[in-house]
Amino acid sequence: MDVFSTETPIIGMVHLPPLPGSPGFEGDRSDIRRRLRRDATALESGGVDGIMVENFGDAPFYPDRVPRHVVADVTALATALREEVSIPFGVNILRNDVQSALGIAAATGGSFVRVNVHTGARLTDQGIIEGMAHETLRLRDQLDADVSILADIDVKHSAPLAERSYAEVVSELVERGGADAVVVSGAGTGEAVDTTVLEQVIEARDARDLDAPILIGSGVTPETAPDLLSLADGAIVGTALKHGTETTNPVDEAAVERLVESASH
């Protein structure tokens, strides 16, 4: 996490609209790039410490590897993002294509990737998704990529296949899976994290003296930021930074400023 200029970074989301090849694509690549630049500029001007770009509009999502044309489009957009902002950025390729995200980040100067299922398995609307940590870590070495892995625990829009303790899962994510940070989210996009779960994950991390920041992955608002960030080491924020707190709306620079100011207290 030393890529950020603060110990408790706020990472703002750029939710890409439907890309070419997805059901909702509206036929205008230039408009997608314009929207990317608009949102990225508002996030940086509002004071976030980093940006995550994600193919949010591509539902229904591929469960693992996305087609080559998706990789090509996101690579072009990540390049445009790098030219637009000076703060660190990362990539998430839904639903769980961390290999493509890692390749895009390495090629475009990205500093981190988010992976929804890094170890273990989860039941999702795409079926059962299994973690591919063994491939991801080897690919990062092969690419000689200085890219951090932000790995979810109890990822949004999913359910466990079996009940396991947070102590076990956190240990496997970091010690056996090689994750650089752990992301704790609510049940769905924009939904608040369960503070009891957050505290248990932090306790599990501290009990094993693991060197892995804990990030909140959903539901942070200006009202909840001070308390949540007194526990966690940072946050990935999307919905609360949009006009009308609608996930698919443009970024509201004033909302970004309010959240950043609140998080600093």
Side-chain angles (χ1 to χ4, degrees), residues 13-26 32 35 39 53-62 66 70 74 77 92-95 126 189 242 247-249:
M13 289 298 305
V14 169
H15 293 111
L16 295 174
L19 299 175
S22 65
F25 176 56
E26 297 179 350
I32 294 174
R35 293 163 69 175
D39 285 353
V53 60
E54 176 182 270
N55 61 325
F56 182 83
D58 279 355
F61 302 114
Y62 292 91
V66 299
V70 176
V74 178
L77 291 165
N92 187 21
I93 300 295
L94 300 170
R95 178 71 156 119
Q126 294 81 33
T189 301
K242 303 299 185 69
T247 307
T248 55
N249 281 353

Side-chain angles (χ1 to χ4, degrees), residues 3-259:
V3 66
F4 300 106
S5 59
T6 176
E7 293 183 354
T8 54
I10 300 296
I11 300 170
M13 289 298 305
V14 169
H15 293 111
L16 295 174
L19 299 175
S22 65
F25 176 56
E26 297 179 350
D28 191 345
R29 277 190 170 91
S30 62
D31 184 59
I32 294 174
R33 185 167 300 196
R34 179 191 63 79
R35 293 163 69 175
L36 166 89
R37 287 178 166 149
R38 174 201 64 201
D39 285 353
T41 299
L43 287 169
E44 183 172 38
S45 298
V48 300
D49 305 293
I51 291 174
M52 180 84 73
V53 60
E54 176 182 270
N55 61 325
F56 182 83
D58 279 355
F61 302 114
Y62 292 91
D64 40 52
R65 301 295 173 85
V66 299
R68 292 181 179 89
H69 62 81
V70 176
V71 178
D73 273 308
V74 178
T75 301
L77 291 165
T79 300
L81 177 64
R82 175 72 291 156
E83 295 169 351
E84 192 70 30
V85 301
S86 59
I87 56 178
F89 75 93
V91 181
N92 187 21
I93 300 295
L94 300 170
R95 178 71 156 119
N96 204 54
D97 191 353
V98 66
Q99 287 81 16
S100 292
L102 184 59
I104 294 167
T108 60
S111 299
F112 49 92
V113 295
R114 183 176 183 176
V115 51
N116 295 163
V117 184
H118 186 56
T119 59
R122 302 283 295 185
L123 179 62
T124 74
D125 54 315
Q126 294 81 33
I128 296 174
I129 294 182
E130 299 182 15
M132 303 293 287
H134 58 290
E135 288 191 1
T136 303
L137 270 293
R138 286 170 172 81
L139 177 60
R140 183 169 66 172
D141 285 345
Q142 291 166 9
L143 297 177
D144 192 25
D146 187 15
V147 176
S148 297
I149 297 169
L150 317 184
D152 275 271
I153 186 170
D154 288 350
V155 68
K156 297 176 288 186
H157 306 287
S158 75
L161 300 183
E163 294 298 327
R164 304 183 65 212
S165 72
Y166 287 112
E168 291 177 296
V169 178
V170 171
S171 173
E172 289 177 357
L173 270 177
V174 179
E175 293 185 309
R176 293 164 66 87
D180 299 296
V182 176
V183 182
V184 183
S185 297
T189 301
E191 295 189 24
V193 65
D194 184 333
T195 54
T196 301
V197 171
L198 177 62
E199 290 170 347
Q200 290 176 355
V201 171
I202 292 170
E203 181 180 348
R205 187 269 313 269
D206 293 345
R208 297 190 70 91
D209 195 27
L210 300 175
D211 183 19
I214 306 296
L215 305 177
I216 301 169
S218 71
V220 176
T221 68
E223 294 73 28
T224 62
D227 288 340
L228 290 174
L229 292 174
S230 70
L231 300 171
D233 302 301
I236 303 169
V237 189
T239 301
L241 306 182
K242 303 299 185 69
H243 283 282
T245 63
E246 289 289 338
T247 307
T248 55
N249 281 353
V251 171
D252 180 353
E253 186 175 332
V256 180
E257 292 173 349
R258 285 195 298 271
L259 190 136

